[in-house]
Amino acid sequence: TRYLPLESVMTMNADTTKSPLQGTAWRLEKIQYNDGKIITPPANLNYTLEFMEKGRIAGRADSNRVMGGYTAGDRDLTFKGVAST
């Protein structure tokens, strides 16, 4: 599993037959609001999202699992049919 900053992911794959995100994973490190407020998850909790084949996602939100679909364009990312335990 590779964890990459979004800027790297959006330009790393020139193969247009698959999503530029496919095969990558994200780990939540912080959330920054427009007003500058920053929230970081506790170090002992696991928040990840993996981008898989056929526009599918899978991940963890601490002890819960997340699954669903996604589409990625040049400058946009859309999630669809997302469910969690």
Side-chain angles (χ1 to χ4, degrees), residues 7 18 40:
E7 295 82 15
K18 67 179 185 178
T40 56

Side-chain angles (χ1 to χ4, degrees), residues 3-74:
Y3 296 99
L4 300 170
L6 180 57
E7 295 82 15
S8 298
V9 172
M10 297 308 283
T11 59
M12 67 180 282
N13 191 345
D15 180 359
T16 58
T17 62
K18 67 179 185 178
S19 165
L21 295 173
Q22 184 179 319
T24 65
W26 291 352
R27 180 180 54 237
L28 178 63
E29 294 182 6
K30 68 179 178 180
I31 298 171
Q32 183 171 352
Y33 291 91
N34 289 339
D35 65 1
K37 180 180 177 181
I38 296 175
I39 297 175
T40 56
N44 62 333
L45 300 183
N46 189 20
Y47 293 88
T48 61
L49 189 61
E50 182 177 352
F51 296 87
M52 304 179 315
E53 294 179 352
K54 300 180 182 177
R56 302 296 302 161
I57 57 167
R60 297 196 64 83
D62 190 19
S63 61
N64 295 307
R65 294 186 181 264
V66 178
M67 72 269 334
Y70 77 96
T71 57
D74 288 338

